[in-house]
Amino acid sequence: MLALGLLAAHAALASGGGEGAVDMLPVLEALALILVLARLGGALFERLKLPAVLGELMAGIVLGNLGLIGFHGFDFLRSLPLVEAMAQLGVLFLLFHVGLESDVGKMAAVGVSATLVAVLGVVAPMLLGLGVAQAFLADHHPLSHWFVGATLSATSVGITARVLGDLGKSASLEGRIILGAAVIDDVLGLIVLAVVTGLIQAADAGRAFDVTGLAVIVGKALGFLLVAVVVGRWLSRVTFRFAARLPGEGLLLSFGLAFCFLASFLAGRAGLAPIVGAFAAGLVLEDVHVQALRERDAQKRDLRHLLEPISSFLVPVFFVLMGMGVDLGVFAQPGVLGFAAALTAAAVLGKQVCSLGAWGPGVDRLAVGLGMIPRGEVGLIFASIGRTLTIGGVRVVDDMVYSAVVVMVAVTTLVTPPLLVWRMRKGQAR
Amino acid sequence: MLALGLLAAHAALASGGGEGAVDMLPVLEALALILVLARLGGALFERLKLPAVLGELMAGIVLGNLGLIGFHGFDFLRSLPLVEAMAQLGVLFLLFHVGLESDVGKMAAVGVSATLVAVLGVVAPMLLGLGVAQAFLADHHPLSHWFVGATLSATSVGITARVLGDLGKSASLEGRIILGAAVIDDVLGLIVLAVVTGLIQAADAGRAFDVTGLAVIVGKALGFLLVAVVVGRWLSRVTFRFAARLPGEGLLLSFGLAFCFLASFLAGRAGLAPIVGAFAAGLVLEDVHVQALRERDAQKRDLRHLLEPISSFLVPVFFVLMGMGVDLGVFAQPGVLGFAAALTAAAVLGKQVCSLGAWGPGVDRLAVGLGMIPRGEVGLIFASIGRTLTIGGVRVVDDMVYSAVVVMVAVTTLVTPPLLVWRMRKGQAR
């Protein structure tokens, strides 16, 4: 008893603060496991000439589904918010890095194209999803059908950003269109969710739709993008000019990261996904701003160089955790598979329609369409919001619909890396 | 209302998983704030020719005590386990890095010296602390006096490791003696805590002292160190030989970090502080093991190179949080200051006695003694365990004693960096 009590007390030693102590031991165990499995999965898939990120996802799927064969030794991995937070920082760094590879001018050059791709990419999958819902869920309320369509709207850009980065194609014409469209996509998705949810809540309560609330949401999101581009560029120049006058080491990385975190925080506050802020931070932060600090570094490392080891640590954590979110048990549920297959087809085809909006010298529309396929967490969050909504006492998203969305997310996430690598490498060979 | 609900829902988007979602926004805000303030504090102190780490601690003290002047806008920083966990990873990376700078052979060369320093450094402060407690707390139980002495026993090596690293002195004779002594110190502190706590519990319950429980604790701690050195070296060689055969990038960093996390986890499981494991991992991981992977890197970076940006991100977070833990309000409590001053003097002088155990060609005993001064979280945890213990219904550590321990921890933490820098630079000039 004494031994046990002391062990627990001493474990708290790790957390260096008495009050609010954090138990680091499960986190350390989880990180060791995740890092090794991510690299093993990546290495296996590289040997099979498939993208490493797919191997990391597979490692996660295996870890997350060992319960199906009765092994529950890794179940503790699911309940570690600290590891989840590391994963979230990983995807922020990924998008920050992608933003650094481009700049505002280059993105503006594909602005019209990206906007068209985004709008078509929200409208087309929604309409196709609506059709699928009408066909399979005839007894549901018409607004439920619209909600199912809405879950297909927003692209989740993490996977595509990673594949483009691995291929060194983040700054290609197709890469920029996809990334720009994904940012606009997020704004549009937010609006779609607000409208559909508002209509459902109004219908359920028998009152009118709240237009003011919608205007606030849209205003905040657009306001953030405007502020990020205009004020962000100025702030970046001023900040790094100031930092260059300070003595000491590590200033470039610390101020760069702080800039990224601040933008991500503000994006979140504006109702957007924080990764949109991280991407914007990278976009407005230009090489010339950090030149003076870079010159001071003994090895002349720029921000991308300094970020690389941090990303190399945290990004695979994100993809392993994303894989763990795939519940293979869902595939075995009766009635789910047919609807899920139709929904997935709508998701994939809808984003191929959007590629018609891409234009530019020699643009590869298929590559753009493939890059827009993944839905990831955005679709899942839409679906889980739908579970909390009811019309006349009936849930808008029932278990079957939710499971089908999970399958759609899993399939769109997993098919993208191999398809995109195949297409981009083919484009390179031309 | 719609707007608010959606914002909350969309904020959850950030956490990418529906269930167990983490709210990243306060974490992002906190990290941006902490990174900038840490660098500003560091830069200010560098300009004053004082160690940067002291500036980071001061930034933390300011952040943590704004409540005293009525500003509570940063109070949310105290309740963020995710930021706390980042800080803990920071100090792990710091000790891992320090371990990498040395190896088992070099540490063994100072083994006798480090052991003597550790034993003297636990015994001398304990006896001095016992004397101070007897003088100031005459009405307390004699075992309470011993407990107060015990809170002075274990060195907290984070601060010293950072200062030595900044000075490039981690591998110096004095540096190795301090680090070795700190590891042994942690084992001894664990034993002291077990014995004193056991005696108090036995006295309170009127039963005999549990010798078996003590033997288990000691056995586990010593077992970990033995396993770390013997099995760890073999495991490190085998692991990196295996990793070198895998295709893909980032293997050196991922396997290195996983190795560090595993050792930290095992140290924690053995009842030791996880940083002891991180240090041991760095110690047994030798350059020759990672040679093959290093050759594959385009820039031939070794593990220390790759760790540097990660440490540069996370280590200042640790020191700012450590500063935030200093409650300046304690200094104003009546009756605390005299006892606190005597306790701090016992803590500082006790560790100067231990420097008599240091020997070697031209060893600077004063530098060793100064490096052993900081108590940090270990003392705080001892004190908070004492608050949960009673003898005959009276608390072993009452509010006054606890506050005095907080003052002792704050002072020993803050005086070490300037003193150690002064002494090590002087040594260099000789």
Side-chain angles (χ1 to χ4, degrees), chain B residues 22-397:
Chain B
V22 180
D23 185 4
M24 288 298 285
L25 295 193
V27 177
L28 296 172
E29 191 181 3
L31 287 177
L33 194 68
I34 288 171
L35 288 179
V36 168
L37 289 179
R39 288 302 173 197
L40 291 181
L44 179 68
F45 275 68
E46 290 220 344
R47 195 143 279 174
L48 300 171
K49 308 270 179 235
L50 288 165
V53 62
L54 199 56
E56 295 168 15
L57 287 167
M58 285 298 175
I61 292 178
V62 171
L63 264 184
N65 287 281
L66 288 172
L68 292 179
I69 56 164
F71 182 78
H72 294 279
F74 295 147
D75 285 1
F76 76 100
L77 294 173
R78 297 190 175 282
S79 50
L80 292 173
L82 299 177
V83 176
E84 177 65 43
M86 305 260 137
Q88 290 309 316
L89 287 182
V91 71
L92 281 185
F93 290 138
L94 181 63
L95 270 289
F96 184 46
H97 190 107
V98 167
L100 285 172
E101 306 248 301
S102 194
D103 60 43
V104 177
K106 278 191 203 150
M107 286 305 298
V110 298
V112 178
S113 216
T115 308
L116 268 175
V117 169
V119 172
L120 287 172
V122 165
V123 172
M126 253 192 96
L127 293 180
L128 288 174
L130 174 68
V132 169
Q134 282 169 340
F136 280 80
L137 312 167
D139 55 335
H140 286 215
H141 191 280
L143 278 173
S144 292
H145 299 155
W146 278 100
F147 197 92
V148 171
T151 63
L152 301 186
S153 61
T155 291
S156 172
V157 79
I159 286 270
T160 298
R162 165 74 184 266
V163 174
L164 291 173
D166 285 357
L167 295 170
K169 292 281 190 186
S170 302
S172 67
L173 178 60
E174 291 81 8
R176 281 178 291 138
I177 292 178
I178 295 170
L179 295 165
V183 167
I184 302 168
D185 213 299
D186 201 70
V187 179
L188 295 178
L190 180 69
I191 297 172
V192 167
L193 180 66
V195 171
V196 179
T197 307
L199 287 171
I200 288 174
Q201 285 173 333
D204 191 41
R207 55 171 167 72
F209 176 60
D210 177 10
V211 182
T212 325
L214 179 68
V216 170
I217 292 171
V218 177
K220 274 187 168 181
L222 295 179
F224 170 77
L225 290 181
L226 193 74
V227 167
V229 172
V230 179
V231 181
R233 274 175 111 169
W234 169 82
L235 186 66
S236 155
R237 200 172 49 238
V238 171
T239 304
F240 286 94
R241 195 181 288 165
F242 168 74
R245 291 210 206 115
L246 298 175
E249 285 173 21
L251 292 161
L252 177 52
L253 183 63
S254 289
F255 277 87
L257 291 179
F259 195 70
C260 166
F261 292 145
L262 180 66
S264 308
F265 166 71
L266 293 176
R269 271 291 170 87
L272 294 168
I275 52 171
V276 169
F279 177 72
L283 213 57
V284 299
L285 208 162
E286 285 167 28
D287 284 344
V288 59
H289 302 162
V290 304
Q291 195 64 31
L293 278 174
R294 193 186 162 185
E295 289 300 322
R296 259 165 61 178
D297 186 80
Q299 296 144 64
K300 304 268 181 283
R301 289 171 296 183
D302 63 12
L303 208 39
R304 271 168 289 178
H305 255 85
L306 291 165
L307 272 179
E308 197 240 79
I310 306 181
S311 299
S312 172
F313 164 31
L314 294 175
V315 172
V317 178
F318 176 74
F319 289 109
V320 171
L321 259 67
M322 194 181 239
M324 284 181 62
V326 176
D327 178 3
L328 294 180
V330 166
F331 288 90
Q333 282 173 27
V336 169
L337 270 194
F339 178 51
L343 203 63
T344 307
V348 172
L349 291 177
K351 290 290 180 180
Q352 301 321 299
V353 172
C354 82
S355 66
L356 296 176
W359 54 270
V363 67
D364 182 349
R365 290 208 173 81
L366 183 53
V368 172
L370 295 176
M372 298 293 289
I373 290 177
R375 296 313 199 282
E377 69 280 8
V378 186
L380 288 179
I381 296 283
F382 275 35
S384 50
I385 291 174
R387 289 183 106 168
T388 66
L389 298 173
T390 52
I391 305 184
V394 180
R395 275 200 293 177
V396 169
V397 168

Side-chain angles (χ1 to χ4, degrees), chain A residues 289-371:
Chain A
H289 301 162
V290 304
Q291 195 63 31
L293 278 173
R294 194 187 160 184
E295 288 300 322
R296 261 164 62 179
D297 186 82
Q299 298 146 63
K300 304 268 179 284
R301 289 171 297 182
D302 63 11
L303 209 39
R304 271 167 288 177
H305 255 84
L306 291 165
L307 271 178
E308 197 239 81
I310 306 182
S311 299
S312 173
F313 164 31
L314 294 175
V315 172
V317 178
F318 176 75
F319 288 110
V320 171
L321 257 66
M322 194 182 239
M324 282 180 62
V326 176
D327 177 6
L328 294 180
V330 166
F331 288 91
Q333 283 172 28
V336 169
L337 270 194
F339 178 51
L343 203 62
T344 306
V348 172
L349 291 176
K351 292 289 179 180
Q352 300 322 299
V353 172
C354 82
S355 67
L356 296 175
W359 54 271
V363 66
D364 182 349
R365 292 209 172 81
L366 183 52
V368 173
L370 295 176

Side-chain angles (χ1 to χ4, degrees), chain A residues 241-310:
Chain A
R241 195 181 288 164
F242 168 75
R245 291 212 205 112
L246 297 175
E249 285 173 22
L251 291 161
L252 178 54
L253 183 63
S254 288
F255 277 86
L257 291 179
F259 195 72
C260 166
F261 292 146
L262 179 67
S264 307
F265 166 70
L266 293 175
R269 270 291 170 89
L272 294 168
I275 53 170
V276 170
F279 177 71
L283 214 55
V284 298
L285 208 161
E286 285 169 25
D287 284 344
V288 60
H289 301 162
V290 304
Q291 195 63 31
L293 278 173
R294 194 187 160 184
E295 288 300 322
R296 261 164 62 179
D297 186 82
Q299 298 146 63
K300 304 268 179 284
R301 289 171 297 182
D302 63 11
L303 209 39
R304 271 167 288 177
H305 255 84
L306 291 165
L307 271 178
E308 197 239 81
I310 306 182

